Amino acid sequence: MAGNSQRRNRRTSNKKGATVGSGGQRRRGLEGKGPTPPAHMRKGHKKNRLANAQAKQSARRPAPRRGGPKGANELVVGRNSVVEALREGVPANTLYVQQFLDNDERVREALQLAAERGLNLMEAPRPELDRMTNGLHHQGLVLSVPPYDYAHPEDLTAAAFDDGEDPLIVALDGITDPRNLGAVVRSVSAFGGHGVVVPERRAAGMTASAWKTSAGTAARTPVARATNMTRTLEAYQKQGLMVVGLAADGDMELHELDALEGPVVIVVGSEGKGLSRLVGETCDFRVRIPMPGGAESLNAGVAAGVVLYEAARRRA
């Protein structure tokens, strides 16, 4: 018995440390460190240094940027409206079609145009379309138009200077009808202008209606949004642009204005109220369009077109 007790108490090994595995240390040591980060994120890499330098420069002077406040998608409702929007190239993303819809020529054309442009086609029950359109008479077709991607006012002058041209810009003050905005965009495109500036609030925006009126020219003529129109005009003046306001009681007539030959921004007010007080005071010149016929004022789109034509004629 004593011998058995001694054998039980006897140490069988003099080794120190763990004797059961490594606790996973060796396996973790063999694991990879993940994918190699891109060049601009690797410290010391040329692209990383360039990215850091650009970030510091952006912090000192914000670069021209695109975009204003993003809103919800706009809905174009009804067969005729949807077909017209698709014909004019309004930038849409989804066409909703009512389930079991009676097929007529407009429906077939809408489906064909949407397919040619690669739009999403979604079939939905009528109650769902009623809910989407708040009960409007959609006739089984609803087109979803994403929010317009507005430029920054500085983008317009930057593009002109990059091309070695004197900026020719139209600013709209108090224009609330999107069809007027679309007409101005069309005139700017026709006469070689560099873009349109609109206020961020209480003004027409680039809706589907404005796109249709522009007859597709909105795709190549940028529209910028100004948080404060007066400050935007002052910033243009610091860049060397003359600010010309159109007013029925202007100090000179259009043909007397030599500023149209150089960098200029033309400010058009509303048909009824004209230029707002602060914007009018910011203008370098207040110009009137002579109208022998005796009309008191012109539609904003027509007035902008007249001045843009005169500017293009002189520049040519």
Side-chain angles (χ1 to χ4, degrees), residues 20-49:
V20 183
S22 64
Q25 295 297 327
R26 289 194 296 271
R27 184 183 62 197
R28 285 196 292 270
L30 295 174
E31 290 179 353
K33 296 183 180 180
T36 302
H40 70 275
M41 295 179 63
R42 297 204 297 271
K43 187 176 181 180
H45 194 281
K46 178 180 178 181
K47 291 187 176 180
N48 176 259
R49 295 195 300 270

Side-chain angles (χ1 to χ4, degrees), residues 186-204:
R186 188 172 183 177
S187 294
V188 169
S189 177
F191 295 113
H194 298 97
V196 180
V197 182
V198 297
E200 190 174 292
R201 294 179 295 274
R202 297 186 295 276

Side-chain angles (χ1 to χ4, degrees), residues 59 67 76 93 202 230 232 260 274:
V76 179
N93 50 24
R202 297 186 295 276
T230 301
T232 296
L260 293 178

